[in-house]
């Protein structure tokens, strides 16, 4: 899947729709991977899923939709099947879409969640008791115009709300939910601009849905991506500086809840980061942008901040990855050369770094 010039060559195109884009990948119980996203096949955009085996072949696929555009944005393995969450059409622009699939990947629950504004579900996790928690973000009508909002919602097995709490977003600058793990949702943002920019992190407890101001941190510049690791550590990648002087840093919190001093990543990594996922040891980080932007690159970064480029991403834009024994499975939101429109979702499998 990577040639001698370190270029990613996609392994399998994900077909089924006329045009399709992937948004996330998770591992199901028993080994197969589930890729979710959205696709169009002669009508409105629908939420799509693909069950992918260890060789990258789509063994099953399906779609779910309403009378308007729909998309699956995240997934959670659950009781042999999965929860899919995303966005569907609604009275105020959009509603959060909640789907539960059984172990045969048949839809057994489908719910449109309207919280009074334009919303979408962007993440879903399970707590220690197995209860699904959904992170919803959107906008509400305010006295001075639209107001950004976010909610944590715990679901029952039938998709109905068990607990719900609105997350207070920071007022000083830009606040956005970026990461969610089994205990917390992490909110990141920044105030100021250029060399004077300051980033911040806040944590919201899943159990109480309250902000603990003492459990946050200020960071230099802006937060670009976050990933939670198996030991409970939080890896954070951000940037500082402008133009050719812009550089990435790696920081976060270790498994003992201690904040780490940000480490500058080598200049070769550049100054842009799109996303990352936690590996068994360290993180996988990708840089670059979408179709039409300069080629991105794929790096591994160890816990000490040492990075190694493993691939160039010309024509391949990843949105997620999972580790399997001896192999790393990436999913591309779009890969050049796939699909009828030449730019569809694909799966790439690499040797584990």
């Amino acid at each position: 899947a990577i040639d001698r010039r370190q270029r990613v060559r996609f392994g399998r195109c994900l077909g089924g729709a006329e045009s399709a884009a992937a948004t996330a990948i998770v591992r199901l119980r028993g080994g197969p991977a589930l890729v979710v996203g959205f696709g169009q096949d002669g009508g409105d955009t629908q939420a799509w899923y693909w069950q992918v085996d260890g060789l990258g072949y789509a063994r099953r696929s399906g779609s779910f939709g309403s009378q308007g555009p729909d998309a699956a944005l995240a997934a959670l393995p659950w009781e042999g099947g999965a929860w899919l969450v995303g966005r569907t059409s609604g009275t105020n622009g959009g509603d959060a879409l909640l789907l539960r699939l059984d172990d045969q990947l048949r839809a057994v629950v489908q719910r449109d969640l309207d919280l009074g504004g334009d919303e979408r579900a962007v993440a879903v996790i399970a707590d220690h008791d197995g209860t699904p928690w959904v992170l919803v973000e959107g906008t509400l009508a305010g006295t001075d115009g639209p107001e950004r909002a976010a909610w944590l919602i715990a679901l029952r097995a039938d998709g109905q709300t068990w607990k719900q709490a609105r997350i207070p977003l920071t007022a000083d600058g830009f606040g956005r939910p970026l990461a969610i793990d089994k205990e917390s949702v992490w909110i990141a943002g920044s105030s100021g601009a250029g060399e004077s920019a300051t980033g911040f992190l806040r944590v919201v407890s899943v159990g109480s849905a309250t902000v603990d101001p003492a459990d946050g941190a200020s960071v230099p510049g802006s937060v670009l991506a976050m990933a939670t690791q198996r030991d409970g550590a939080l890896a954070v990648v951000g940037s500082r500086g402008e133009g050719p002087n812009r550089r990435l840093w790696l920081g976060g919190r270790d498994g003992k809840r201690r904040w780490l001093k940000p480490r500058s990543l080598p200049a070769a990594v550049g100054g842009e980061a799109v996303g990352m996922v936690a590996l068994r040891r360290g993180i996988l980080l990708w840089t670059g942008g979408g179709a039409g932007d300069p080629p991105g690159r794929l790096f591994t970064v160890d816990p000490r901040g040492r990075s190694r480029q493993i691939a160039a991403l010309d024509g391949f834009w990843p949105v997620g990855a999972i580790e399997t024994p001896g192999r790393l499975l990436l999913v591309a939101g779009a890969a050049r050369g796939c699909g009828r429109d030449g730019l569809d979702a694909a799966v790439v499998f690499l040797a584990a770094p």
Side-chain angles (χ1 to χ4, degrees):
I2 298 180
D3 65 18
R4 294 181 180 180
R5 297 173 64 183
Q6 281 196 321
R7 295 175 302 187
V8 167
R9 299 217 178 260
F10 57 80
R12 313 290 181 204
C13 298
L14 295 177
E18 256 179 49
S19 61
T23 55
I25 182 172
V26 296
R27 186 195 292 186
L28 297 176
R29 188 169 68 188
L34 184 71
V35 177
V36 302
F38 52 92
Q40 190 172 20
D41 196 4
D44 286 325
T45 301
Q46 295 184 317
W48 273 76
Y49 74 84
W50 299 266
Q51 187 188 58
V52 178
D53 65 17
L55 297 177
Y57 288 104
R59 297 302 184 187
R60 292 180 183 174
S61 65
S63 62
F64 305 92
S66 61
Q67 298 299 317
D70 304 275
L73 302 177
L76 169 73
W78 200 77
E79 295 189 357
W83 280 97
L84 275 61
V85 304
R87 177 182 168 90
T88 186
S89 57
T91 55
N92 296 301
D95 292 340
L97 175 64
L98 310 176
L99 296 171
R100 182 164 72 86
L101 309 181
D102 64 13
D103 57 0
Q104 299 298 311
L105 301 185
R106 296 171 300 202
V108 292
V109 172
Q110 181 169 349
R111 181 187 176 197
D112 300 349
L113 178 62
D114 182 6
L115 297 173
D118 184 1
E119 307 95 11
R120 61 177 184 169
V122 296
V124 56
I125 63 165
D127 62 19
H128 296 298
D129 295 326
T131 300
W133 285 82
V134 180
L135 177 61
V136 178
E137 63 178 15
T139 57
L140 296 172
T143 55
D144 297 323
E147 296 179 355
R148 294 190 64 254
W151 299 264
L152 273 178
I153 298 172
L155 299 178
R156 302 183 189 275
D158 62 0
Q160 296 304 305
T161 300
W162 177 45
K163 293 181 180 180
Q164 175 178 321
R166 184 169 173 180
I167 302 172
L169 297 182
T170 52
D172 53 339
F174 174 69
R176 180 185 177 189
L178 282 179
I180 188 167
D181 62 19
K182 290 186 176 180
E183 296 178 351
S184 311
V185 53
W186 295 90
I187 302 174
S190 63
S191 59
E195 296 293 341
S196 63
T198 301
F200 48 83
L201 298 171
R202 296 291 183 266
V203 63
V204 178
S205 167
V206 166
S208 60
T210 57
V211 173
D212 180 1
D215 201 8
S218 295
V219 293
S222 301
V223 175
L224 301 178
M226 295 194 284
T228 50
Q229 299 176 294
R230 287 178 173 81
D231 62 354
L234 176 74
V236 180
V237 169
S239 70
R240 54 185 156 192
E242 291 183 305
N245 296 321
R246 193 180 191 200
R247 292 291 180 267
L248 296 182
W249 51 260
L250 174 67
R253 196 178 70 162
D254 66 16
K256 297 182 179 179
R257 304 174 67 87
R258 296 174 301 194
W259 287 100
L260 307 175
K261 182 178 179 180
R263 298 171 178 262
S264 294
L265 295 179
V269 178
E272 300 289 342
V274 175
M276 65 179 179
V277 295
L279 303 175
R280 287 184 176 87
R281 183 169 175 79
I283 61 174
L284 181 76
L285 170 72
W286 53 90
T287 68
D293 290 340
R297 291 171 294 168
L298 193 65
F299 294 87
T300 55
V301 183
D302 69 16
R304 295 185 179 182
R306 295 175 298 193
S307 63
R308 179 172 67 93
Q309 180 175 330
I310 61 174
L313 301 176
D314 190 10
F316 178 88
W317 296 274
V319 295
I322 59 173
E323 273 189 297
T324 61
R327 179 172 290 179
L328 188 66
L329 203 62
L330 280 76
V331 63
R336 189 174 295 127
C338 275
R340 299 178 194 175
D341 61 356
L343 203 65
D344 272 13
V347 171
V348 172
F349 41 96
L350 313 174

